[in-house]
Amino acid sequence: MTALRHIFRDPVAAFGLLIVVFALLVAILAPWLAPYPDDAFESHILQRLRPPSAEFPFGTDNLGRDILSRVILGTRNAFAVAIAVVVAAMAVGVPVGLAAGWRDNWMSDVLMRVTDVFLAVPQLILALALGQLMAPGIGTAMVALAFTYWPFFARTVYAETRRLRGSLFVDALAGIGASPTRILFLHVLPNAAPAILVRATVGMGFTILTAALLGFLGVGAAPPSPDWGLAVSEARQHLPEAWWFPTFPGLAILLLVLGFNLLGDGLRDAADPRLRRSRR
């Protein structure tokens, strides 16, 4: 509740939350909001590349499909990829960070050196390499992004665990005989949750952007999926005449990524009292 109050007091963070909530509602209600949900996957050559009009507010694409419908349906794809990737990355990175940060031993060194190896390779390059090894598709994009994003969670949780393990409450729990597993999962992890939440929120926006880039490069979503990155890629050969073709999917990517980034910044400020004091 404190974080929400801070976000509502911060106009920029509140604007980011508004964008994310609006996009989430669009994703949930996509089949009912899209003007032509059934025709968004079928070709209509006679109405290809029509400019924005009352019938097609965002115009039509190279196959005559309504761009507004495909942008709305693409919101559901974007959220599905982002949520799946972030959850999978957390499932791997959080336990690794907890295990590596709790003790100073050979296992901690091995886990963090493996994490450093993944962090040393640019995420997009690694995702492209993995995508080339598998068949193009939305599932491929999810696997590639989850495989490359877990080190960020591992690093975040590792730093929080090392900070918290020397706290008085941890010493007190160990003194009364609490097991390390109980201390880690019932006490250290909840205290590290704000940092994990901030990383997850920013990661959602970054994942949407990277997934769109993979689709643009032909490694992510495959036709006829209503993917924003794929739509921008298909529009390249029709520029500058059909300016509306890449503009509206591109704006959707921009707004949703911006919303998650603004929300993540607001959550970071709410979770760190030092940042709140510095802005007063």
Side-chain angles (χ1 to χ4, degrees):
M1 295 300 294
T2 303
L4 281 178
R5 285 196 298 268
H6 176 79
I7 288 173
F8 287 134
R9 287 198 298 265
D10 184 348
V12 176
F15 179 63
L17 178 62
L18 178 64
I19 294 175
V20 172
V21 171
F22 175 75
L24 182 59
L25 290 176
V26 169
I28 294 172
L29 303 174
W32 297 277
L33 292 177
Y36 307 99
D38 297 328
D39 295 340
F41 299 90
E42 300 177 2
S43 300
H44 305 279
I45 301 301
L46 295 180
Q47 60 188 33
R48 67 190 299 269
L49 297 178
R50 290 188 180 180
S53 62
E55 184 180 5
F56 303 108
F58 286 4
T60 62
D61 63 10
N62 57 327
L63 296 178
R65 299 169 298 192
D66 178 44
I67 294 177
L68 175 59
S69 297
R70 289 181 64 80
V71 168
I72 291 174
L73 294 172
T75 308
R76 176 171 288 189
N77 275 11
F79 270 99
V81 171
I83 293 172
V85 167
V86 169
V87 169
M90 288 174 62
V92 176
V94 171
V96 168
L98 286 173
W102 183 246
R103 290 281 186 260
D104 290 323
N105 52 27
W106 66 267
M107 185 180 72
S108 174
D109 291 338
V110 170
L111 290 175
M112 295 318 297
R113 294 300 77 75
V114 171
T115 302
D116 290 340
V117 168
F118 277 90
L119 289 173
V121 180
Q123 187 183 17
L124 179 60
I125 302 300
L126 188 55
L128 283 172
L130 291 173
Q132 292 294 334
L133 297 176
M134 299 178 284
I138 199 71
T140 296
M142 290 181 183
V143 172
L145 291 173
F147 193 73
T148 58
Y149 200 68
W150 70 264
F152 294 94
F153 282 102
R155 267 293 172 188
T156 299
V157 177
Y158 171 78
E160 288 297 305
T161 303
R162 289 185 65 86
R163 180 179 66 84
L164 293 167
R165 71 180 185 179
S167 302
L168 290 176
F169 77 89
V170 172
D171 294 336
L173 289 166
I176 62 175
S179 66
T181 302
R182 180 182 179 85
I183 295 174
L184 276 174
F185 287 97
L186 296 184
H187 300 279
V188 173
L189 184 57
N191 280 279
I196 297 173
L197 179 61
V198 172
R199 170 56 66 184
T201 304
V202 175
M204 294 275 284
F206 186 75
T207 298
I208 290 170
L209 180 61
T210 309
L213 185 54
L214 291 177
F216 179 83
L217 296 175
V219 179
S225 176
D227 181 75
W228 297 337
L230 181 62
V232 175
S233 177
E234 292 173 342
R236 288 179 298 174
Q237 58 184 328
H238 302 287
L239 290 175
E241 292 80 10
W243 57 267
W244 59 88
F245 192 176
T247 298
F248 294 109
L251 285 175
I253 297 170
L254 171 65
L255 287 175
L256 190 50
V257 173
L258 177 65
F260 274 114
N261 285 343
L262 295 179
L263 178 58
D265 287 343
L267 289 173
R268 182 198 61 194
D269 294 351
D272 192 338
R274 294 171 299 179
L275 291 176
R276 293 202 299 269
R277 287 195 297 267
S278 66
R279 292 192 175 191
R280 288 177 182 175

